[in-house]
Amino acid sequence: MARKPPSPRPDHPVERYARRVLNGEIVACKWVTLFCQRHFTDLETGAARGLSFSVAKAARVLRFFTLLKHSKGEWAGKFFELEDWQRFYLFVLFGWLNADGTRRFRVAYTEIARKNGKSQLAAAIGLYLFVGDEEPGAEIYCCATKRDQAKIVWDEIARMVKSSTGFRKFIKAVKDNLSCESR
């Protein structure tokens, strides 16, 4: 179901993915199409509802991801290279703000097929919220229906920290806890 995007405007290169979805160039399910459409609709009408979009905040999270390395499998030791859909997802998730300057989206749902990096994406988002989001005293928790499942994401975060000399300097890992005393 291709939908026509709103009239052209100067937009960020990350938004090309959403425009391609809406033009039918990228095959996507109904929910992804609606996600893309909502972004453009909100750019046009969001201000009336107290919403704004910060390209700077959206770009900040994308820059943060370039500091992270994969820790296992064929990509181990290589820097993250986000797919277009991942860039757009993070761009929207962290770029939209309420009138008071807080992030619009406090909860996000992602459904991805097996072996497509769900744990790495969740770990990287968690690490960003812990040290990259400028939240004093940030607390991040890994939760799942079983402890072993939560530990997969936790272990990935710990490996990301260990693989980066920059993070290792100010993030300390003790048992099942990371702490950041100073930056």
Side-chain angles (χ1 to χ4, degrees):
M1 159 175 110
R3 298 181 90 183
K4 186 171 171 60
S7 59
R9 65 167 189 78
D11 59 9
H12 195 278
V14 171
E15 292 171 326
R16 280 189 217 128
Y17 165 80
R19 290 202 181 278
R20 291 180 65 212
V21 166
L22 295 175
N23 287 332
E25 296 172 44
I26 296 175
V27 176
C29 71
K30 173 175 96 170
W31 303 113
V32 170
T33 302
L34 290 171
F35 175 62
C36 294
Q37 185 64 52
R38 179 181 62 194
H39 174 68
F40 291 115
T41 300
D42 287 346
L43 286 172
E44 292 180 351
T45 64
R49 292 177 286 136
L51 300 174
S52 62
F53 189 80
S54 170
V55 171
K57 287 195 181 277
R60 180 181 170 89
V61 72
L62 297 178
R63 280 192 309 275
F64 182 85
F65 269 68
T66 66
L67 304 173
L68 304 176
K69 291 182 180 179
H70 291 277
S71 66
K72 47 187 214 179
E74 68 179 280
W75 302 104
K78 295 180 181 169
F79 286 100
F80 267 68
E81 289 186 36
L82 296 171
E83 297 286 331
D84 290 343
W85 72 266
Q86 292 170 316
R87 273 194 294 281
F88 183 70
Y89 174 74
L90 294 167
F91 191 76
V92 169
L93 194 61
F94 288 92
W96 279 103
L97 305 173
N98 293 312
D100 63 0
T102 59
R103 272 194 310 275
R104 174 186 184 185
F105 299 112
R106 310 299 282 178
V107 175
Y109 175 81
T110 309
E111 188 171 323
I112 307 167
R114 293 185 73 235
K115 300 294 180 188
N116 279 289
K118 288 183 293 293
S119 299
Q120 289 78 14
L121 183 62
I125 290 171
L127 190 56
Y128 176 77
L129 292 169
F130 182 53
V131 296
D133 200 28
E134 300 179 317
E135 171 83 21
E139 294 183 13
I140 308 302
Y141 299 92
C142 297
C143 304
T145 57
K146 296 189 189 261
R147 183 181 178 99
D148 291 350
Q149 288 178 325
K151 191 154 174 43
I152 291 169
V153 174
W154 157 254
D155 288 343
E156 186 62 32
I157 292 172
R159 284 191 298 269
M160 285 178 181
V161 168
K162 288 177 186 170
S163 70
S164 167
T165 54
F167 290 135
R168 277 195 318 247
K169 288 179 185 175
F170 63 91
I171 299 175
K172 303 296 176 223
V174 180
K175 199 176 178 206
D176 293 334
N177 189 357
L178 292 178
S179 64
C180 180
E181 295 300 320
S182 63
R183 287 185 229 187

